[in-house]
Amino acid sequence: MLSTMQDAPLSIAQLLVHGSTVHGDAEVVTWTDSGPRRRNYAEVGRRCAALAHALRGLGITGDQRVATFMWNNAEHLEAYLAIPSMGAVLHTLNIRLFPEQLIHVANHAEDQVIIVDPTLIPLLTPHLPALTTVRHIIVTGDSTAGFEAPEGVQVHAYETLIADQPTTFDWPEVDERSAAAMCYTSGTTGDPKGVAYSHRSIYLHSMQVCMTDGPALAQGDRTLAVVPQFHAMSWGLPYAAFMIGASLIMPDRFLQPAPLAELIAAERPTFAAAVPTIWQGLHLYLEEHPQDISFMKEVLIGGSAVPPALMHAFENEHGVRVLHAWGMTETSPLGSVARPPAGVEGDERWRYRYTQGRFSASVRARIVDDAGNVVPNDGTSIGELEVRGPWITGSYYGVDAPDKFDDGWLRTGDVGSITPDGYLTLTDRTKDIIKSGGEWISSVDLENAVMGHPDVLEAAVIGVPDEKWDERPLVAVVLREGSTTGVDELREFLSDKVAKWQLPENWTVISEVPKTSVGKFDKKRLRSQFQEGALDITRP
Amino acid sequence: MLSTMQDAPLSIAQLLVHGSTVHGDAEVVTWTDSGPRRRNYAEVGRRCAALAHALRGLGITGDQRVATFMWNNAEHLEAYLAIPSMGAVLHTLNIRLFPEQLIHVANHAEDQVIIVDPTLIPLLTPHLPALTTVRHIIVTGDSTAGFEAPEGVQVHAYETLIADQPTTFDWPEVDERSAAAMCYTSGTTGDPKGVAYSHRSIYLHSMQVCMTDGPALAQGDRTLAVVPQFHAMSWGLPYAAFMIGASLIMPDRFLQPAPLAELIAAERPTFAAAVPTIWQGLHLYLEEHPQDISFMKEVLIGGSAVPPALMHAFENEHGVRVLHAWGMTETSPLGSVARPPAGVEGDERWRYRYTQGRFSASVRARIVDDAGNVVPNDGTSIGELEVRGPWITGSYYGVDAPDKFDDGWLRTGDVGSITPDGYLTLTDRTKDIIKSGGEWISSVDLENAVMGHPDVLEAAVIGVPDEKWDERPLVAVVLREGSTTGVDELREFLSDKVAKWQLPENWTVISEVPKTSVGKFDKKRLRSQFQEGALDITRP
């Protein structure tokens, strides 16, 4: 029996219209080298209409891909809203991809237009001749100076292009399951693979961001989106902010601790989101340059496991609550969020906040063992996390990847367990776990234990071959400047924190842990360095 | 271009499984004449499975309608969850319908089964012979004593029926646009008309109930659902509570001020929802029998306009914030919610809280004038409110009602205006507005003004024929017991509150305003009483 409900699709245009009218006074603040520039959502709405008209004029009349190669800023927000609303598909290019990956994804997505920030032109132009489908480049700002386009490519200045366009647009009604935006994974193996979010998935995800069991973004919040718009849609914050009427504070290219601290002091965000390394950097900076940041009620941290020491530092030293969350490009990205159960107080809360958190009603999660069996949510049975839901990808764009899916569920590649009341604890990536003498050692647990030492800035653990045990852990540590702490002392420090048989015998002190394009530990490169003999191994 | 997202439907079963596992410790409390009885959501989940097996056994194998004739209680919650989850359609029968309406809706929906509370048996049995499709009656509790079924109808005791059934169920995957639940409007004109909610509409609506711009229901909340489950799905609270892990406090048949006050003292709800008359009654009761209710952070009031005096009383005398909302059966029912904009403080907040509030991103609203033109949201242009969205009905079940819809939008029958920042102010129902000498007088504004007098308990205003002005207002007032206030004094009281030409010259003092089956002022009956000369009119 059919319902009598209206067939009203969930769409980005709905968010755009709502945010730019009902919340027309909310603003997007973009940081520049001379302080903030501001634009309210009413104006963003008018500029989105103008941008859509301009793109129509460049031949974007259907579901062609319009790419961005941009920092987080007001124009990137406009691209986020206007491109899907007009029926085209936004493709956020990761500015940190290696050249061959960048070329691959732009060609694979068949990008027609790229919008680029002036400061990123030098990163893009060398590769333009290899981009076979790009016909137009739009440079944000009012000048195209310094841009030399290859033949067949036209270059436009963003402000000039939209200047004389109408400021209203008759947004088409779309099929909510059609693609709105694309993001390619920054996977460390093989070519990046594309995830195509739908209007429906983005809309539902935005609702979750504003729900009380999610980040609970609210009207009037000032949202500092440090997490890049070119990485997992800035965790959905631009869309959720338009849905709920929260202002956005965009750091543009000023992601270093000093300007970030200045931006925070000036704009007083109430909510912020970034990967752990950003918060780690800010914390260290604030130790040297104290300032009040307690107006940030909550910071959302995800992308990789958050060292407990960092959570405590934010809460105890800065009065800022850390909200740990788990997700990935394939999950839009909001998966689980570590809010303790209501009524749990004091130190008891930490037991929950260390976990990856709980899933909302919309995302089902299960743990599957090596033999492919679903194991119980008993808090101890370990296996690979699989997820299912309306904002979880079910395939990759234009490529077959059957090993990534299991009967309609996404295989996340993460290993962990779930408690009866739904709290997820991830112990490792399936490919990073160390299999030693028939037992599993979590590289992440070891890293967190080592990073608990006050002289350790970063620690990455990989498995290295061992004749007797198959694999044993190797710890690569970055020490605080001037520290004289030795490897013996670090091993001693671990001795009452991990089981004796897990105690690593291989150590190396390095100046920096190699990172992926989105700032995660790049263990693949660390493994290569080990294999090439580039690491100086100490055995205490 | 299609997205790569999973095709995961939004469904009631998802809510049921989530709530009964992740939030298995949350509880539903049902009030009885000997205090509360409690059941946690884990057990509710097991009993839902058993109920579904039992209904399969009674032949409910497809999308047949299973009706409830019940108060708000744990078993009604089980029916809410189990019936749609198994693929059947829940039909909540309004226990206050007039007999001919009850018979009409049960036959029109082709109800196969009715679940009934023992205390409601006397209201149901006289009409059973007229119900042509009902084959089974399930009486909650463990006895069918006192039930005499007509031939062809089998009677079962709820507890006996589910006692030996399996406590897990392989819930089928449903089309999210299929019907999950039905509710007939209690319209004062013509036969009640059926609205069939879909799995999708109920799921999305539940998300909105847990969003920060909605009621913001949260995990750990204790939700007192006074608004009946047989009326507009108890405003979606049972589903939202299962989605988010809020406990439910169900008053069953104890809706009078005294037991309600006792229940509130015993169960300490943090959130509550009811129509104004319930809160008005509670407020009067608490004046005589003071008790602390300030643990209720917020009470949601809707169903009809809330007198400002009542809002102030709750905030100032009881420390409870009133959240005014607008909706109707046709809108699931959550439409607009009167949260002031962030940053608005002190008395300035009242300006927003008196309104019907703002719509979320998911519901579009527009004002249409008599000529059918959409008027601007300028706060002054008046017309009929029309709404569109995924949880707004687009038709009625099995009947044509073209005059209720306008190009895919629902015509609400409410008259008002919307400000540029989205706040709705309703001035009247289209059929209640008083057209006097070419000008419109809002019956609701007059009622609120009269109810501002301390000696007035209730006031209802209707238009009555007038030779010179076409129509003039007639005020029917209910005075506080023992009050000696005269009509002259009331008119004088109004003189500085409404325009002089609006000052009513027709008054009548009555003992009670007639109410509809859901407790709203029944102006149709008041008009009949006037026409029959049953009202004693005074002209000051």
Side-chain angles (χ1 to χ4, degrees), chain B residues 32-82:
Chain B
T32 74
D33 47 19
S34 56
R37 60 187 174 94
R38 301 172 184 286
R39 188 172 295 159
N40 73 23
Y41 285 1
E43 192 180 351
V44 168
R46 291 190 292 270
R47 288 169 55 93
C48 283
L51 175 59
H53 284 290
L55 289 170
R56 281 273 188 272
L58 300 184
I60 304 301
T61 53
D63 62 0
Q64 295 99 338
R65 269 65 73 203
V66 177
T68 54
F69 195 78
M70 300 170 79
W71 301 107
N72 288 18
N73 53 40
E75 290 70 31
H76 210 167
L77 175 65
E78 289 160 7
Y80 258 54
L81 293 162

Side-chain angles (χ1 to χ4, degrees), chain A residues 441-522:
Chain A
I441 301 175
S442 160
S443 65
V444 175
D445 283 354
L446 279 183
E447 287 162 3
N448 282 337
V450 177
M451 284 195 277
H453 190 284
D455 279 0
V456 173
L457 279 185
E458 290 180 335
V461 173
I462 57 172
V464 296
D466 183 277
E467 283 193 9
K468 185 169 173 190
W469 305 105
D470 294 333
E471 275 192 339
R472 288 299 296 164
L474 162 65
V475 186
V477 285
V478 180
L479 294 174
R480 198 178 277 264
E481 211 176 300
S483 160
T484 57
T485 302
V487 161
D488 286 313
E489 189 183 328
L490 291 177
R491 194 164 192 269
E492 177 63 27
F493 174 76
L494 282 196
S495 62
D496 61 350
K497 293 181 179 59
V498 304
K500 193 162 178 222
W501 62 271
Q502 296 191 351
L503 262 184
E505 45 283 290
N506 306 298
W507 296 75
T508 181
V509 177
I510 56 180
S511 60
E512 193 185 359
V513 176
K515 307 277 191 335
T516 68
S517 57
V518 292
K520 296 185 194 184
F521 287 177
D522 188 346

Side-chain angles (χ1 to χ4, degrees), chain A residues 302-341:
Chain A
S304 43
V306 182
L310 184 62
M311 290 198 207
H312 287 272
F314 263 79
E315 178 145 327
N316 299 334
E317 296 170 35
H318 304 301
V320 173
R321 205 165 55 231
V322 167
L323 185 59
H324 191 193
W326 172 88
M328 50 202 295
T329 301
E330 287 86 341
T331 66
S332 289
L334 201 61
S336 54
V337 173
R339 291 200 183 283

Side-chain angles (χ1 to χ4, degrees), chain A residues 462 474 476 508-510 525-537:
Chain A
I462 57 172
L474 162 65
T508 181
V509 177
I510 56 180
R525 262 165 76 197
L526 204 58
R527 282 189 201 97
S528 303
Q529 290 172 358
F530 171 79
Q531 281 154 14
E532 292 158 6
L535 300 178
D536 189 14
I537 308 293

Side-chain angles (χ1 to χ4, degrees), chain B residues 337-450:
Chain B
V337 173
R339 292 200 182 283
V344 170
E345 304 286 349
D347 282 350
E348 175 79 355
R349 290 172 311 142
W350 290 107
R351 189 156 68 84
Y352 298 96
R353 292 174 57 192
Y354 293 158
T355 72
Q356 269 68 26
R358 287 206 268 211
F359 289 89
S360 67
S362 299
V363 180
R364 285 190 283 162
R366 68 184 187 186
I367 301 291
V368 177
D369 69 14
D370 269 356
N373 301 312
V374 176
V375 302
N377 289 353
D378 55 13
T380 55
S381 298
I382 303 275
E384 182 174 5
L385 172 68
E386 297 188 349
V387 290
R388 178 159 168 75
W391 60 78
I392 310 294
T393 205
S395 62
Y396 290 97
Y397 177 67
V399 291
D400 261 353
D403 58 320
K404 299 288 186 184
F405 303 96
D406 175 9
D407 193 26
W409 295 65
L410 173 72
R411 297 180 60 184
T412 65
D414 278 318
V415 172
S417 62
I418 300 178
T419 60
D421 58 348
Y423 283 89
L424 170 72
T425 295
L426 292 180
T427 45
D428 221 330
R429 295 286 297 166
T430 46
K431 62 183 187 298
D432 292 335
I433 206 140
I434 298 152
K435 297 183 176 177
S436 177
E439 297 284 346
W440 286 8
I441 301 175
S442 160
S443 66
V444 175
D445 284 354
L446 280 182
E447 287 162 4
N448 282 337
V450 177

